[in-house]
Amino acid sequence: MRVGMFLNYAGGFREAADEVVELERAGIDLVAVPEAYSFDAVSQLGFLAARTSTIALASGILQLYTRTPTLTAMTAAGLDYVSGGRFELGIGASGPQVIEGFHGVRYDAPLARTRELVEICRLAWRREPVIHEGAKYRIPLPAGEGTGLGKPLKLINHPLRDRIPITIASLGPKSVEQTAEIADGWLPMFFHPERAGEVWGDALAAGAAKRSPQLAPLDVFASPALAITDSADVAAAALAAVKPQLALYVGGMGARGKNFYNDLIASYGFEAEATRIQDLYLEGRKDEAIAAVPDELARAISLIGPASEVAERVAAFRAAGVTTLAVTPLARTSAERVALMSGLRAIVG
């Protein structure tokens, strides 16, 4: 099982980069740089590539709609080159609030776009002429849709690898099935190890049945919050710190009937709670929505408590098929975060 961390650079990216150097020294396997609607992830990843030498660097995630598939391929090849073959391409559809609200791009057909993007990236990395006739992308652009001057081109540079790992963030049954079929890694959100098999088992099995033998077994990510502590008060505060994000996603990421995260939490057996959180959040009663997040749910998707309890939860994640723990350490300072990550590294082994 790999140990990694999602990078939070709200306090400044140069400071976060210094922290990644310390994480590398502590034996951490991977850091993932988010994008959302903050600074772009690519410039930050390039900066990290120059500051580090062994730790894997992942995008967490590049959104499907904000770059053409060919640009995504070029970007991934460039990051893999400057990092010496340490880049992992994390992609995902994000959601209409960000894609349409921040980028002004129509959010449509995420499944088809994902499959075609993966095909185009792998084609480009093999340095074959990029010729693609898909439902969403046609390369070169047909004459009737442009000047007619486009011609098949291949990547000028020689990538270090022709199979850069691709991890797909997905939640719904169809998207998870496709991920298990075509991706190198799968990044779900709010992974509940005791309920994951019930929710995603059939989709993962269906995708695995169609998986190419050229692909290694699927790398399964989980991204729990982390707080290793013997203090009951600190553990309680850490558990409380998990709830605002749950309330935001379950309650505020989308409208009623169109919220992937609400559907997920309901499928875990918290249907009434998911409905109540959403109702409160959409009514503007955010503090009440946060308070409505069950302790049982927050605890199940996290690694919080004494080292012995965290070890038990790590074992549960491992038993559920997780192969990469990309955690969010709950700490106020860089030194505390590095200490938490070192503690997790020792527990995982």
Side-chain angles (χ1 to χ4, degrees), residues 319-349:
V322 171
T323 49
T324 297
L325 281 173
V327 305
T328 300
L330 301 177
R332 293 171 296 178
T333 69
S334 176
E336 290 173 347
R337 283 189 293 274
V338 172
L340 278 176
M341 295 302 297
S342 297
L344 180 61
R345 172 80 278 173
I347 288 170
V348 172

mmCIF file of all heavy atoms in Angstrom, residues 319-349:
data_model
loop_
_atom_site.group_PDB
_atom_site.id
_atom_site.type_symbol
_atom_site.label_atom_id
_atom_site.label_comp_id
_atom_site.label_asym_id
_atom_site.label_seq_id
_atom_site.Cartn_x
_atom_site.Cartn_y
_atom_site.Cartn_z
ATOM 1 N N ALA A 319 -8.232 -4.221 3.278
ATOM 2 C CA ALA A 319 -9.128 -5.353 3.011
ATOM 3 C C ALA A 319 -10.177 -5.003 1.961
ATOM 4 O O ALA A 319 -10.671 -5.884 1.234
ATOM 5 C CB ALA A 319 -9.807 -5.797 4.307
ATOM 6 N N ALA A 320 -10.532 -3.715 1.873
ATOM 7 C CA ALA A 320 -11.516 -3.270 0.882
ATOM 8 C C ALA A 320 -10.903 -3.055 -0.494
ATOM 9 O O ALA A 320 -11.601 -2.653 -1.431
ATOM 10 C CB ALA A 320 -12.182 -1.987 1.359
ATOM 11 N N GLY A 321 -9.593 -3.301 -0.630
ATOM 12 C CA GLY A 321 -8.941 -3.219 -1.932
ATOM 13 C C GLY A 321 -8.146 -1.967 -2.182
ATOM 14 O O GLY A 321 -7.597 -1.785 -3.281
ATOM 15 N N VAL A 322 -8.030 -1.096 -1.182
ATOM 16 C CA VAL A 322 -7.286 0.148 -1.371
ATOM 17 C C VAL A 322 -5.789 -0.151 -1.455
ATOM 18 O O VAL A 322 -5.244 -0.880 -0.625
ATOM 19 C CB VAL A 322 -7.571 1.135 -0.217
ATOM 20 C CG1 VAL A 322 -6.643 2.346 -0.290
ATOM 21 C CG2 VAL A 322 -9.029 1.578 -0.260
ATOM 22 N N THR A 323 -5.139 0.428 -2.452
ATOM 23 C CA THR A 323 -3.703 0.229 -2.641
ATOM 24 C C THR A 323 -2.898 1.522 -2.490
ATOM 25 O O THR A 323 -1.678 1.476 -2.389
ATOM 26 C CB THR A 323 -3.428 -0.380 -4.030
ATOM 27 O OG1 THR A 323 -4.134 0.380 -5.033
ATOM 28 C CG2 THR A 323 -3.904 -1.826 -4.092
ATOM 29 N N THR A 324 -3.592 2.660 -2.494
ATOM 30 C CA THR A 324 -2.937 3.946 -2.265
ATOM 31 C C THR A 324 -3.779 4.772 -1.305
ATOM 32 O O THR A 324 -4.944 5.066 -1.601
ATOM 33 C CB THR A 324 -2.740 4.742 -3.568
ATOM 34 O OG1 THR A 324 -1.875 4.020 -4.448
ATOM 35 C CG2 THR A 324 -2.134 6.110 -3.290
ATOM 36 N N LEU A 325 -3.202 5.131 -0.169
ATOM 37 C CA LEU A 325 -3.847 6.043 0.775
ATOM 38 C C LEU A 325 -3.289 7.443 0.516
ATOM 39 O O LEU A 325 -2.143 7.731 0.847
ATOM 40 C CB LEU A 325 -3.561 5.631 2.219
ATOM 41 C CG LEU A 325 -4.367 4.472 2.799
ATOM 42 C CD1 LEU A 325 -3.825 4.095 4.178
ATOM 43 C CD2 LEU A 325 -5.850 4.820 2.893
ATOM 44 N N ALA A 326 -4.092 8.292 -0.108
ATOM 45 C CA ALA A 326 -3.689 9.678 -0.358
ATOM 46 C C ALA A 326 -4.472 10.556 0.611
ATOM 47 O O ALA A 326 -5.580 11.001 0.316
ATOM 48 C CB ALA A 326 -3.975 10.072 -1.803
ATOM 49 N N VAL A 327 -3.913 10.793 1.771
ATOM 50 C CA VAL A 327 -4.662 11.340 2.902
ATOM 51 C C VAL A 327 -4.584 12.861 2.959
ATOM 52 O O VAL A 327 -3.781 13.496 2.275
ATOM 53 C CB VAL A 327 -4.152 10.750 4.235
ATOM 54 C CG1 VAL A 327 -4.202 9.233 4.210
ATOM 55 C CG2 VAL A 327 -2.726 11.231 4.532
ATOM 56 N N THR A 328 -5.439 13.404 3.823
ATOM 57 C CA THR A 328 -5.380 14.817 4.178
ATOM 58 C C THR A 328 -5.054 14.902 5.661
ATOM 59 O O THR A 328 -5.927 14.645 6.506
ATOM 60 C CB THR A 328 -6.717 15.521 3.896
ATOM 61 O OG1 THR A 328 -7.024 15.422 2.509
ATOM 62 C CG2 THR A 328 -6.641 16.998 4.286
ATOM 63 N N PRO A 329 -3.813 15.218 6.028
ATOM 64 C CA PRO A 329 -3.458 15.295 7.447
ATOM 65 C C PRO A 329 -4.083 16.527 8.093
ATOM 66 O O PRO A 329 -4.003 17.632 7.554
ATOM 67 C CB PRO A 329 -1.930 15.374 7.437
ATOM 68 C CG PRO A 329 -1.584 15.895 6.093
ATOM 69 C CD PRO A 329 -2.649 15.449 5.153
ATOM 70 N N LEU A 330 -4.706 16.325 9.250
ATOM 71 C CA LEU A 330 -5.365 17.420 9.966
ATOM 72 C C LEU A 330 -4.385 17.982 10.979
ATOM 73 O O LEU A 330 -4.246 17.472 12.095
ATOM 74 C CB LEU A 330 -6.635 16.917 10.644
ATOM 75 C CG LEU A 330 -7.686 16.308 9.700
ATOM 76 C CD1 LEU A 330 -8.873 15.782 10.486
ATOM 77 C CD2 LEU A 330 -8.135 17.333 8.663
ATOM 78 N N ALA A 331 -3.665 19.005 10.573
ATOM 79 C CA ALA A 331 -2.642 19.617 11.422
ATOM 80 C C ALA A 331 -2.504 21.074 11.055
ATOM 81 O O ALA A 331 -2.831 21.489 9.931
ATOM 82 C CB ALA A 331 -1.309 18.895 11.262
ATOM 83 N N ARG A 332 -2.006 21.869 11.997
ATOM 84 C CA ARG A 332 -1.909 23.312 11.789
ATOM 85 C C ARG A 332 -0.582 23.740 11.184
ATOM 86 O O ARG A 332 -0.510 24.776 10.524
ATOM 87 C CB ARG A 332 -2.118 24.038 13.116
ATOM 88 C CG ARG A 332 -3.518 23.922 13.677
ATOM 89 C CD ARG A 332 -3.596 24.467 15.084
ATOM 90 N NE ARG A 332 -2.766 23.670 15.997
ATOM 91 C CZ ARG A 332 -2.612 23.945 17.287
ATOM 92 N NH1 ARG A 332 -3.197 25.009 17.818
ATOM 93 N NH2 ARG A 332 -1.856 23.171 18.054
ATOM 94 N N THR A 333 0.463 22.984 11.405
ATOM 95 C CA THR A 333 1.788 23.391 10.937
ATOM 96 C C THR A 333 2.389 22.334 10.025
ATOM 97 O O THR A 333 1.988 21.163 10.045
ATOM 98 C CB THR A 333 2.746 23.619 12.124
ATOM 99 O OG1 THR A 333 3.035 22.353 12.744
ATOM 100 C CG2 THR A 333 2.134 24.570 13.147
ATOM 101 N N SER A 334 3.382 22.758 9.262
ATOM 102 C CA SER A 334 4.075 21.836 8.370
ATOM 103 C C SER A 334 4.737 20.710 9.166
ATOM 104 O O SER A 334 4.660 19.534 8.778
ATOM 105 C CB SER A 334 5.119 22.588 7.557
ATOM 106 O OG SER A 334 5.864 21.709 6.755
ATOM 107 N N ALA A 335 5.377 21.060 10.265
ATOM 108 C CA ALA A 335 6.061 20.045 11.072
ATOM 109 C C ALA A 335 5.072 19.003 11.583
ATOM 110 O O ALA A 335 5.373 17.797 11.605
ATOM 111 C CB ALA A 335 6.784 20.710 12.249
ATOM 112 N N GLU A 336 3.884 19.443 11.985
ATOM 113 C CA GLU A 336 2.867 18.506 12.473
ATOM 114 C C GLU A 336 2.376 17.607 11.348
ATOM 115 O O GLU A 336 2.137 16.406 11.556
ATOM 116 C CB GLU A 336 1.700 19.275 13.088
ATOM 117 C CG GLU A 336 2.038 19.963 14.410
ATOM 118 C CD GLU A 336 0.911 20.850 14.901
ATOM 119 O OE1 GLU A 336 -0.026 21.134 14.107
ATOM 120 O OE2 GLU A 336 0.941 21.256 16.072
ATOM 121 N N ARG A 337 2.209 18.180 10.155
ATOM 122 C CA ARG A 337 1.763 17.355 9.026
ATOM 123 C C ARG A 337 2.808 16.309 8.661
ATOM 124 O O ARG A 337 2.481 15.142 8.404
ATOM 125 C CB ARG A 337 1.440 18.236 7.822
ATOM 126 C CG ARG A 337 0.103 18.948 7.921
ATOM 127 C CD ARG A 337 -0.267 19.635 6.624
ATOM 128 N NE ARG A 337 0.623 20.750 6.321
ATOM 129 C CZ ARG A 337 0.453 21.985 6.772
ATOM 130 N NH1 ARG A 337 -0.587 22.269 7.544
ATOM 131 N NH2 ARG A 337 1.302 22.950 6.436
ATOM 132 N N VAL A 338 4.062 16.706 8.613
ATOM 133 C CA VAL A 338 5.133 15.756 8.294
ATOM 134 C C VAL A 338 5.187 14.654 9.352
ATOM 135 O O VAL A 338 5.375 13.474 9.029
ATOM 136 C CB VAL A 338 6.483 16.481 8.170
ATOM 137 C CG1 VAL A 338 7.625 15.477 8.032
ATOM 138 C CG2 VAL A 338 6.470 17.424 6.969
ATOM 139 N N ALA A 339 5.004 15.023 10.622
ATOM 140 C CA ALA A 339 5.008 14.021 11.694
ATOM 141 C C ALA A 339 3.848 13.049 11.534
ATOM 142 O O ALA A 339 4.018 11.829 11.722
ATOM 143 C CB ALA A 339 4.945 14.712 13.054
ATOM 144 N N LEU A 340 2.671 13.569 11.184
ATOM 145 C CA LEU A 340 1.518 12.687 10.955
ATOM 146 C C LEU A 340 1.787 11.729 9.804
ATOM 147 O O LEU A 340 1.495 10.518 9.891
ATOM 148 C CB LEU A 340 0.267 13.508 10.661
ATOM 149 C CG LEU A 340 -0.504 14.076 11.856
ATOM 150 C CD1 LEU A 340 -1.655 14.956 11.355
ATOM 151 C CD2 LEU A 340 -1.032 12.961 12.744
ATOM 152 N N MET A 341 2.334 12.249 8.719
ATOM 153 C CA MET A 341 2.607 11.402 7.562
ATOM 154 C C MET A 341 3.672 10.355 7.876
ATOM 155 O O MET A 341 3.576 9.202 7.425
ATOM 156 C CB MET A 341 3.024 12.256 6.369
ATOM 157 C CG MET A 341 1.937 13.189 5.847
ATOM 158 S SD MET A 341 0.423 12.330 5.344
ATOM 159 C CE MET A 341 1.031 11.322 4.007
ATOM 160 N N SER A 342 4.668 10.737 8.648
ATOM 161 C CA SER A 342 5.679 9.763 9.076
ATOM 162 C C SER A 342 5.060 8.684 9.934
ATOM 163 O O SER A 342 5.413 7.493 9.820
ATOM 164 C CB SER A 342 6.796 10.475 9.841
ATOM 165 O OG SER A 342 7.475 11.405 9.016
ATOM 166 N N GLY A 343 4.123 9.092 10.796
ATOM 167 C CA GLY A 343 3.428 8.108 11.632
ATOM 168 C C GLY A 343 2.596 7.152 10.793
ATOM 169 O O GLY A 343 2.580 5.932 11.070
ATOM 170 N N LEU A 344 1.936 7.657 9.768
ATOM 171 C CA LEU A 344 1.158 6.780 8.903
ATOM 172 C C LEU A 344 2.077 5.846 8.124
ATOM 173 O O LEU A 344 1.766 4.658 7.941
ATOM 174 C CB LEU A 344 0.312 7.614 7.951
ATOM 175 C CG LEU A 344 -0.563 6.831 6.972
ATOM 176 C CD1 LEU A 344 -1.581 5.960 7.714
ATOM 177 C CD2 LEU A 344 -1.281 7.773 6.000
ATOM 178 N N ARG A 345 3.204 6.375 7.659
ATOM 179 C CA ARG A 345 4.175 5.541 6.942
ATOM 180 C C ARG A 345 4.615 4.361 7.806
ATOM 181 O O ARG A 345 4.709 3.218 7.320
ATOM 182 C CB ARG A 345 5.381 6.399 6.561
ATOM 183 C CG ARG A 345 6.574 5.678 5.975
ATOM 184 C CD ARG A 345 6.388 5.356 4.508
ATOM 185 N NE ARG A 345 5.609 4.166 4.255
ATOM 186 C CZ ARG A 345 5.213 3.777 3.058
ATOM 187 N NH1 ARG A 345 5.483 4.498 1.993
ATOM 188 N NH2 ARG A 345 4.521 2.670 2.912
ATOM 189 N N ALA A 346 4.837 4.621 9.098
ATOM 190 C CA ALA A 346 5.245 3.552 10.009
ATOM 191 C C ALA A 346 4.132 2.530 10.202
ATOM 192 O O ALA A 346 4.399 1.319 10.315
ATOM 193 C CB ALA A 346 5.669 4.154 11.337
ATOM 194 N N ILE A 347 2.891 2.994 10.264
ATOM 195 C CA ILE A 347 1.760 2.088 10.473
ATOM 196 C C ILE A 347 1.540 1.214 9.229
ATOM 197 O O ILE A 347 1.343 0.002 9.339
ATOM 198 C CB ILE A 347 0.493 2.897 10.795
ATOM 199 C CG1 ILE A 347 0.574 3.490 12.193
ATOM 200 C CG2 ILE A 347 -0.765 2.023 10.664
ATOM 201 C CD1 ILE A 347 -0.510 4.488 12.518
ATOM 202 N N VAL A 348 1.584 1.824 8.067
ATOM 203 C CA VAL A 348 1.324 1.082 6.829
ATOM 204 C C VAL A 348 2.463 0.099 6.549
ATOM 205 O O VAL A 348 2.248 -1.008 6.059
ATOM 206 C CB VAL A 348 1.134 2.059 5.650
ATOM 207 C CG1 VAL A 348 1.070 1.305 4.322
ATOM 208 C CG2 VAL A 348 -0.134 2.868 5.854
ATOM 209 N N GLY A 349 3.695 0.531 6.878
ATOM 210 C CA GLY A 349 4.849 -0.328 6.642
ATOM 211 C C GLY A 349 5.432 -0.169 5.249
ATOM 212 O O GLY A 349 4.929 0.545 4.415
#
